[in-house]
Amino acid sequence: MYPVSPNTVLANALGSAEDVLAPRIHDAKPNRVVFVVGTQINGAPHIGTSLVQSLTFAAAARTRDRYGVPVAVTFGALDNAPYELVTDSISGHRYQRAYAQALGEPEINAQVDALYRPMFDALSDATGVPYHVETYSDQQRSETYRRTWLRLLPRLEACRWWLAPSTGVPHVRVPCPEPGCGWAEKYAERTQVVIEGNECAQVYAHCLHHGPYSGSIGPGHGAYLDLATLYRNLVKEIALSGGCGALHVMVKGGDWVFGSHLVDGALQAAGHAQGRLPARLFCPQVVTDTGAKLSKSLIREGRVPLPEGALPWMLDTRLWSGTTAEYAERLLGLAETVFSDPRHFFRSYSAAELGRMMTTAGSRTAA
């Protein structure tokens, strides 16, 4: 069942995949390690999402066993993913309404409970690694996140081209506050942020239906603060670098390697030393026979076919024939294979190969 994986520069330097975390663990000497993994809440998860989630729990368990340090997983449920997108016929600007504004907090929580918690419960039970869920709505309203953003604003000129290389304008979206609305300009063309002291910023924007509006943002109050992807990750990583004794590990799919170069540039431009920041672990990416990332959106839209060897459950894990616990056990069995050699971890897998490995992977029981 083991894959045949080529050697790489990174794999040749490691004895095991989690060795990439060793420099940070030895330097920081944390009292605990928190593995942070997120996904957009835009429907049922697919195999790429499940793979990264299961590898997160497996990596946490291996780190706990190797270093004798308590570990936990934080699942970031990104409910700021676009739910609707339209183009304004007058301005030509694109507008979006996110899941958080379109569905509301109770419905978002219900989706998380239905689509993600059963899987996380099964992974947690099998590995003994605790977890908690934090939506982006929770994160952006926290005092730590907002204070971090407010402190970053005076330095934004230095890092803006890292966050938005094409325009130099990092996108801030403050959804229209009118009841039942929640639309915001996707690319924030008419959005302006005005600093009003250390504790407040005023955001001026333009709604698709209601015209100009504004919202204030302070440490513990104010409008909904939605940041574009690179900008959001910059603020999140700075916010998690505080001196609480914990080392945070950002777990991402392999497609994030390229984007993280820009986040690193922004972190340095904002004056943050690498040693104080969260660590990162990039997981294998699931690809098609063309080498492109397996995209459920492109397949569902009919823009690309289901790749050869891929099965319907890979796009919607609810279609897996067994139970959630069995699915989690298969994924953890697969994780043991992937973690058995760094060459197996730091690479991509075709959907067909991953399906074969899932079929032959053994189950795993908790220690």
Side-chain angles (χ1 to χ4, degrees), residues 268-289:
Q268 293 173 19
H272 290 270
Q274 180 63 32
R276 297 179 53 206
L277 297 166
R280 298 197 189 109
L281 181 65
F282 297 104
C283 294
Q285 187 175 193
V286 184
V287 299
T288 69
D289 50 356

Side-chain angles (χ1 to χ4, degrees), residues 133-147:
V133 175
E134 180 183 62
T135 65
Y136 177 75
S137 293
D138 294 331
Q139 185 181 75
Q140 63 83 33
R141 73 166 63 101
S142 72
E143 181 176 345
T144 298
Y145 190 87
R146 289 177 173 241
R147 282 194 184 278

